[in-house]
Amino acid sequence: MSKLGKQEYKHALKHMSRELVDLARWVADTGARIVVLFEGRDSAGKGGVIAAIRKHLNPRHVRTVALGKPTEREAGQWYFQRYVEHLPTSGEIVLFDRSWYNRAGVERVMGFASEDEVDAFLQATPTFEKLLTDDGIILVKYWLTTDQTKQEERFAERRDDPLKGWKLSPIDVASRARYDGYTQAREAMLRATHTQNAPWTLVDFNDQKQGRLTLIRNLIDRIPESKVPRPVIELPPLDGKPSKESYAVIDPLPDWIPPEAK
């Protein structure tokens, strides 16, 4: 497939964004609960696709969850416990930027969890997820794929770009030698947790723009009959001329001026 053009990408994303707005309105109107998990290779593009999904949505109805390292207290809890408190309430969509599947991925490959802990997780997860879906939660699970050559390009870009340097962690650097190990861990995870009620969907993110559109299109199509009528809001004319801002106590900051113009 030929590389997606910039304008073609923007046009397609704009159209899908309108459909996402309709979807979010349907969720709020019906009280549905949606959980979307984003897993995949480091640098695959999880943050980018989440940002694209959220860009035009009401933040009251859509949340992103990106948990850090467990606290000492959390480490002593039931493994799923800290994720449960972030599940959606009625009328809400929650996007997990990595999820409970950390145990089957980075924790396993990097040796942060024992094989016994990983085996217990893989056995428990289908039951845990069935509890969620039996309770009415719509659970969608994505795994973003990326070849190692492309991953290396993105790591180098993050290293060299001061605005992206925060995305490159010591774990990312250490993971470079474990690309095949992540593949093996992913396949074991899929065999254990790709179930009828909570299936996995893999999306090719070697081309991130193409990957975003593919994933978003799939997400929209997974939620059938998700349209509700858009509210009609009238804006009657003002009684008089529009007012200008006035200040009695504190003035606004002066406008920013480019350094070269000073």
Side-chain angles (χ1 to χ4, degrees), residues 1-14 16 204 206-216:
M1 184 175 180
S2 59
K3 189 174 178 64
L4 194 67
K6 185 176 181 180
Q7 293 306 314
E8 186 181 8
Y9 166 73
K10 286 185 174 181
H11 177 76
L13 183 59
K14 184 176 181 180
M16 292 184 196
D204 184 345
N206 281 299
D207 181 328
Q208 290 183 328
K209 289 186 176 64
Q210 183 68 57
R212 286 174 202 153
L213 296 180
T214 300
L215 188 151
I216 294 171

Side-chain angles (χ1 to χ4, degrees), residues 34-39 46 50 63-67 82-88 93-100 139 142:
I34 299 180
V35 171
V36 188
L37 308 186
F38 296 86
E39 297 287 344
K46 294 179 287 295
I50 290 171
R63 279 191 295 119
T64 299
V65 176
L67 300 183
R82 74 180 187 131
Y83 296 99
V84 168
E85 65 179 284
H86 295 284
L87 293 174
I93 302 170
V94 174
L95 312 174
F96 277 91
D97 186 350
R98 296 200 181 278
S99 66
W100 45 89
L139 177 60
Y142 290 111

Side-chain angles (χ1 to χ4, degrees), residues 114-128:
S114 68
E115 284 301 309
D116 286 344
E117 288 174 323
V118 173
D119 290 343
F121 168 81
L122 293 177
Q123 290 181 33
T125 298
T127 301
F128 170 67

Side-chain angles (χ1 to χ4, degrees), residues 244-260:
K244 291 186 177 182
E245 285 278 19
S246 60
Y247 313 98
V249 180
I250 300 175
D251 289 335
L253 287 171
D255 289 344
W256 176 83
I257 300 174
E260 59 272 17

Side-chain angles (χ1 to χ4, degrees), residues 39-49 98 143-147 150-151 154-155 158 172 203-209 211-212:
E39 297 287 344
R41 301 283 185 187
D42 295 323
S43 82
K46 294 179 287 295
V49 71
R98 296 200 181 278
W143 209 94
L144 282 53
T145 74
T146 306
D147 294 336
K150 184 60 68 174
Q151 185 183 58
R154 292 171 187 165
F155 281 162
R158 291 178 177 184
D172 294 333
V203 187
D204 184 345
F205 262 70
N206 281 299
D207 181 328
Q208 290 183 328
K209 289 186 176 64
R212 286 174 202 153

Side-chain angles (χ1 to χ4, degrees), residues 193-228:
T193 63
H194 179 59
T195 60
Q196 185 174 359
N197 64 291
W200 278 99
T201 300
L202 271 61
V203 187
D204 184 345
F205 262 70
N206 281 299
D207 181 328
Q208 290 183 328
K209 289 186 176 64
Q210 183 68 57
R212 286 174 202 153
L213 296 180
T214 300
L215 188 151
I216 294 171
R217 181 73 264 161
N218 179 266
L219 177 61
I220 294 168
D221 292 343
R222 299 278 278 270
I223 318 295
E225 304 301 327
S226 59
K227 276 195 175 183
V228 295

